[in-house]
Amino acid sequence: MGKHWADFQYEIYLHGMTGAVPRLPTDLTRLEEITARRLGPGPVGYVAGGAGDGSTARANREALRRRRIVPRMLRDVQDRDLSVEVLGRSLPAPLALAPIGVLSILHPDAERAAARAAAAHGVPYILSSASSTPMEEVAEAMGDAERWFQLYWSKDREVTRSFLGRARSSGYSVLVVTLDTPLLAWRPRDLDQAYLPFLHGVGTANYFTDPAFRAGLAKPVHEDRDAAVMRFVGLFADPGKTWPDLAFLRENWDGPIVLKGVLHPDDARLAADAGMDGVVVSNHGGRQVAGSVAAADALPGIARAVGDRLTVLFDSGVRTGDDVVKALALGARAVLLGRPYAYGLGLDGQAGVEHVIRCLLAELDLTLALSGHATPASVTAADLVEEGR
Ligand code: FNR
């Protein structure tokens, strides 16, 4: 029998014979509450908070909870293989770490630690444009491990062009363009604390190190930080963009492009028509539109509309292995994991992120096996029932 992700449980039990128990809980839904006790209210509110009253984040969880797996028996699940092809890349499991900005508010090792943890397990790391570490330094920390770059599509063409060139030459293979953040949403937990790290020049590392960004400053960043912050605020996002603008990205990026934040089948069709390679069905973890459709409720319609033309990925609400199985059954090829790894980072740096990845994949492996699946590919809509239907 080859090595399986599920073997992590025996590692934990065997280690336990020396009296040791895991430093963090193995039920990843508990990480938020522990982080809230240990870290400051500013960072915790920023990570855990959502748009408005938080209803979208709750709906994301509820939409997954409502779907129930129907396990099948006697299907030979002895040898299992979780690997999948996604956008021409071979991944060890249907998982990538979602782009999360400003990780330095959670841990001093920030993006480097998260990226190293992903690299240690072969899971792609998606670096945010709003990272607190420049993309070249994160790339260096990862060696040749799989990394993707998330773009916040700036008002300034030259800054965007420069970001794409830098990402390409530092080995980021897939471009993930986030569409759902043309403006910052109404986020009461941040507003009530007047907490926005970017205004302190935190989460601006890619911009402050960028030649095209710097070319627009009268003085170097270290001589007039406030002016640099104001330039960042002015160009960071662009609510004026429309579908034809995607041609610019297609011209300036020769690898796969994925649009993140798609929730309507017609938008997914427009993405395919624009020559994109994939979409991430996502509502940004409920951080942008309060009252929005839950991401898992939007997923099946989008998979039906474009599943044969685009790679359909999913995030928003994934916390456990069974959530991943449900997302696969609803039509996703792979999922992005968000908040749980940020909590793992805040609680225990790189080791905390590794713990989160290993728990999630062990639980995924076991849930698949115990439901009658030896690979992610055999999961279909027929493996789920919906409560109340
Ligand atoms: C995010 N997300 C995000 N997305 C993105 O494209 N660029 C970014 O910089 C960020 N930053 C960010 C910060 C924080 C603190 C959070 C929680 C999220 C959204 C992220 O990629 C993903 O869509 C959500 O995290 C998914 O929701 P859950 O599963 O984490 O609830």
Side-chain angles (χ1 to χ4, degrees), residues 46-47 60 98-101 128-130 150 152 178 260 282 284-287 315-319 336-340:
Y46 185 74
V47 177
N60 287 337
I100 293 195
S128 166
S129 278
Q150 177 266 325
Y152 275 133
T178 301
K260 176 170 180 283
S282 165
H284 213 109
R287 300 165 71 76
D315 77 27
S316 296
V318 174
R319 299 288 176 273
L336 315 187
L337 182 69
R339 288 182 175 99

Side-chain angles (χ1 to χ4, degrees), residues 43 65 74 82 97 102 121 256 273 287:
R65 192 206 60 77
L74 293 176
L82 266 51
L97 295 195
V102 279
H121 300 284
D273 295 345
R287 300 165 71 76

Side-chain angles (χ1 to χ4, degrees), residues 168-224:
R168 203 68 182 130
S169 56
S170 39
Y172 294 82
S173 60
V174 173
L175 182 67
V176 178
V177 184
T178 301
L179 301 183
D180 57 20
T181 315
L183 300 161
L184 192 61
W186 187 251
R187 294 184 184 164
R189 278 180 80 169
D190 296 337
L191 289 162
D192 290 350
Q193 305 186 71
Y195 182 85
L196 193 62
F198 304 102
L199 297 187
H200 304 279
V202 180
T204 53
N206 286 318
Y207 300 83
F208 288 7
T209 55
D210 191 82
F213 179 88
R214 290 193 197 185
L217 295 173
K219 291 183 188 166
V221 175
H222 67 270
E223 281 180 27
D224 191 349

Side-chain angles (χ1 to χ4, degrees), residues 64-333:
L64 287 166
R65 192 206 60 77
R66 212 171 63 235
R67 270 116 182 159
R68 314 301 301 173
I69 299 165
V70 186
R72 301 297 305 273
M73 304 297 137
L74 293 176
R75 286 187 160 194
D76 186 2
V77 291
Q78 182 159 274
D79 288 319
R80 302 178 305 280
D81 180 4
L82 266 51
S83 65
V84 285
E85 276 258 319
V86 176
L87 300 158
R89 326 293 302 171
S90 296
L91 311 186
L95 178 75
L97 295 195
I100 293 195
V102 279
L103 290 179
S104 63
I105 63 174
L106 293 169
H107 194 280
D109 298 341
E111 289 82 8
R112 274 191 205 81
R116 282 198 192 106
H121 300 284
V123 170
Y125 179 66
I126 311 179
L127 182 75
S128 166
S129 278
S131 58
S132 27
T133 317
M135 62 181 104
E136 292 81 1
E137 291 177 25
V138 177
E140 210 178 294
M142 294 188 76
D144 55 11
E146 186 72 22
R147 49 186 172 268
W148 303 356
F149 181 70
Q150 177 266 325
L151 181 71
Y152 275 133
W153 199 354
S154 165
K155 274 195 188 113
D156 188 313
R157 262 179 175 244
E158 292 319 309
V159 170
T160 300
R161 206 193 307 271
S162 174
F163 269 31
L164 298 185
R166 290 170 63 192
R168 203 68 182 130
S169 56
S170 39
Y172 294 82
S173 60
V174 173
L175 182 67
V176 178
V177 184
T178 301
L179 301 183
D180 57 20
T181 315
L183 300 161
L184 192 61
W186 187 251
R187 294 184 184 164
R189 278 180 80 169
D190 296 337
L191 289 162
D192 290 350
Q193 305 186 71
Y195 182 85
L196 193 62
F198 304 102
L199 297 187
H200 304 279
V202 180
T204 53
N206 286 318
Y207 300 83
F208 288 7
T209 55
D210 191 82
F213 179 88
R214 290 193 197 185
L217 295 173
K219 291 183 188 166
V221 175
H222 67 270
E223 281 180 27
D224 191 349
R225 213 173 164 74
D226 290 349
V229 166
M230 287 330 287
R231 174 157 159 74
F232 165 80
V233 170
L235 63 64
F236 165 74
D238 183 1
K241 293 254 183 324
T242 58
W243 290 94
D245 292 319
L246 287 170
F248 173 82
L249 298 181
R250 197 57 289 176
E251 278 158 28
N252 286 279
W253 183 264
D254 56 9
I257 305 181
V258 174
L259 302 183
K260 176 170 180 283
V262 171
L263 292 165
H264 195 294
D266 287 348
D267 282 350
R269 288 187 190 98
L270 287 167
D273 295 345
M276 301 292 110
D277 301 279
V279 288
V280 185
V281 177
S282 165
N283 57 29
H284 213 109
R287 300 165 71 76
Q288 287 298 98
V289 178
S292 158
V293 62
D297 283 333
L299 178 55
I302 290 176
R304 269 196 304 278
V306 297
D308 53 343
R309 297 169 78 195
L310 295 179
T311 298
V312 177
L313 306 176
F314 170 80
D315 77 27
S316 296
V318 174
R319 299 288 176 273
T320 60
D322 56 285
D323 291 335
V324 182
V325 175
K326 293 173 184 179
L328 297 174
L330 294 171
R333 180 98 187 135

